[in-house]
């Protein structure tokens, strides 16, 4: 269920009911789920779309009015719920259109497009659009093309090289962060479900994950004892722990 305005057929359609004016909290429901919308007919979806559109216009008007009057807007998450419902509804309509065109024509029926290489040499996908004026006669299109920066083959290769280095660094940082997260979670919560914890670290291999579990569980954290053969993944954490261990035991 969603919050809906009543039928008034005048400019008050853009405003909420008067009983909600000045309220700090308005009772509302949740957004429409995709599974619920799949059960509705095309006619019902068409009606619901305009109900949601009307609700969105009303909420945006009330939000603007609240900002002008310097007062809080009640339940601003209502806009997010309406937009989520509209996105779900649009996805259901696309599913039905794809199914219909695939059955009748063997194609998806969606707007076609093509891949092209941008000025950095990266592939991009652009959907085909209709223009009222052909490109060869469109002065604005030529002017926009002139503003697009250009690059030589050497600059593209250099960019590719730097991009690959950055991607590898980001990948290593992501894996290190997942290792540290698994380590800290097991240290603070030893009874954590391992299957659930494994889902939080998708980039770790099963062997690597099991090694971290074995290392953490073989360490007595309560007595601050760290065996010398254990090498933690989080370097900063290891150095701090090793210093504490040396202060305590003197070697």
């Amino acid at each position: 269920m969603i919050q809906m305005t009543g039928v008034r057929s005048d400019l008050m359609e853009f405003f909420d009911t008067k009983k909600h004016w000045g309220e700090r909290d308005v009772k509302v429901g949740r957004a429409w789920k995709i599974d619920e919308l799949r059960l509705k007919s095309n006619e019902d979806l068409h009606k619901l779309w305009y109900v949601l559109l009307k609700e969105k216009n009303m909420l945006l008007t009330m939000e603007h009015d609240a900002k002008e009057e310097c007062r809080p807007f009640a339940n601003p998450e209502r806009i997010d719920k309406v937009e989520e419902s509209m996105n779900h509804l649009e996805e259901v309509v696309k599913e039905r259109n794809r199914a219909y065109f695939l059955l009748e024509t063997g194609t998806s029926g969606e707007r076609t497009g093509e891949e092209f290489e941008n000025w950095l040499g990266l592939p991009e996908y652009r959907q085909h659009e209709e223009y009222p004026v052909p490109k060869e006669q469109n002065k604005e299109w030529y002017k926009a093309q002139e503003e697009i920066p250009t690059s030589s083959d050497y600059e593209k290769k250099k960019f590719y090289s730097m991009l690959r280095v950055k991607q590898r660094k980001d990948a290593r940082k992501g894996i290190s962060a997942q290792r540290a997260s698994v380590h800290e979670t097991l240290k603070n919560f030893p009874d954590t479900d391992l299957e659930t914890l494994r889902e939080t670290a998708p980039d770790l291999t099963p062997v690597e994950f099991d090694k971290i579990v074995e290392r953490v569980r073989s360490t007595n954290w309560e007595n601050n004892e760290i065996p010398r053969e254990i090498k933690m993944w989080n370097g900063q954490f290891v150095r701090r722990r090793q210093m504490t261990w040396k202060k305590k035991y003197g070697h």
Side-chain angles (χ1 to χ4, degrees):
M1 296 294 292
I2 58 173
Q3 181 72 19
M4 296 185 297
T5 57
V7 178
R8 287 182 286 274
S9 301
D10 56 15
L11 289 178
M12 293 304 295
E13 294 277 356
F14 290 96
F15 296 90
D16 202 353
T17 54
K18 291 186 178 181
K19 66 178 182 179
H20 294 156
W21 291 5
E23 294 290 336
R24 290 185 174 272
D25 186 30
V26 179
K27 293 183 179 180
V28 295
R30 56 171 174 79
W32 285 88
K33 296 181 179 180
I34 293 182
D35 293 337
E36 296 172 341
L37 297 172
R38 288 192 179 111
L39 301 176
K40 294 189 173 295
S41 64
N42 292 336
E43 183 179 359
D44 290 340
L45 292 179
H46 187 267
K47 294 178 181 178
L48 180 59
W49 175 265
Y50 282 98
V51 171
L52 294 170
L53 182 61
K54 172 185 172 184
E55 183 75 6
K56 182 179 179 180
N57 289 336
M58 181 274 294
L59 292 174
L60 292 176
T61 302
M62 296 301 297
E63 183 184 38
H64 177 75
D65 181 66
K67 290 180 180 179
E68 291 292 324
E69 298 293 332
C70 297
R71 55 181 173 80
F73 173 55
N75 298 78
E77 70 276 4
R78 288 184 289 173
I79 299 177
D80 298 331
K81 292 180 180 180
V82 172
E83 290 179 347
E84 182 181 356
S85 298
M86 296 179 76
N87 292 335
H88 289 171
L89 194 154
E90 190 174 7
E91 182 62 30
V92 172
V93 173
K94 288 182 179 179
E95 288 179 356
R96 296 184 181 182
N97 287 340
R98 283 194 296 266
Y100 172 79
F101 279 99
L102 287 172
L103 182 63
E104 294 293 331
T105 64
T107 61
S108 63
E110 297 179 346
R111 187 168 51 178
T112 59
E114 61 180 349
E115 283 193 356
F116 69 100
E117 188 179 274
N118 61 13
W119 66 280
L120 290 174
L122 299 176
E124 288 188 8
Y125 181 81
R126 178 184 297 169
Q127 288 185 328
H128 294 151
E129 299 181 4
E130 293 184 0
Y131 297 94
V133 180
K135 290 190 296 184
E136 57 272 10
Q137 301 177 9
N138 192 339
K139 296 181 180 179
E140 294 183 358
W141 183 84
Y142 278 108
K143 183 178 180 180
Q145 295 299 312
E146 293 176 355
E147 295 177 354
I148 298 178
T150 58
S151 58
S152 63
D153 292 339
Y154 170 77
E155 291 172 333
K156 291 179 180 179
K157 290 180 180 179
K158 185 176 180 180
F159 171 76
Y160 266 127
S161 177
M162 297 175 64
L163 179 62
R164 285 193 294 268
V165 172
K166 182 180 182 302
Q167 290 174 343
R168 286 195 293 267
K169 287 183 178 180
D170 292 341
R172 288 196 295 267
K173 287 181 181 179
I175 294 176
S176 298
Q178 291 180 13
R179 289 169 179 165
S181 176
V182 171
H183 179 274
E184 290 295 323
T185 302
L186 288 173
K187 181 173 73 73
N188 296 323
F189 307 98
D191 298 331
T192 301
D193 182 61
L194 295 182
E195 293 300 326
T196 304
L197 184 60
R198 193 188 302 272
E199 294 177 358
T200 63
D203 296 332
L204 297 182
T205 62
V207 176
E208 197 172 14
F209 181 84
D210 294 337
K211 285 183 179 180
I212 297 176
V213 174
E214 183 179 357
R215 285 168 180 160
V216 174
R217 289 185 172 178
S218 63
T219 306
N220 187 355
W221 295 103
E222 294 182 358
N223 297 329
N224 201 19
E225 296 177 0
I226 302 181
R228 293 183 177 180
E229 65 272 15
I230 293 181
K231 294 181 180 180
M232 302 301 176
W233 295 109
N234 191 342
Q236 183 178 359
F237 177 79
V238 175
R239 287 192 294 271
R240 187 169 64 251
R241 280 290 184 178
Q242 287 179 343
M243 291 174 62
T244 306
W245 189 80
K246 290 180 179 179
K247 288 180 181 179
K248 184 176 182 179
Y249 296 98
H251 55 77

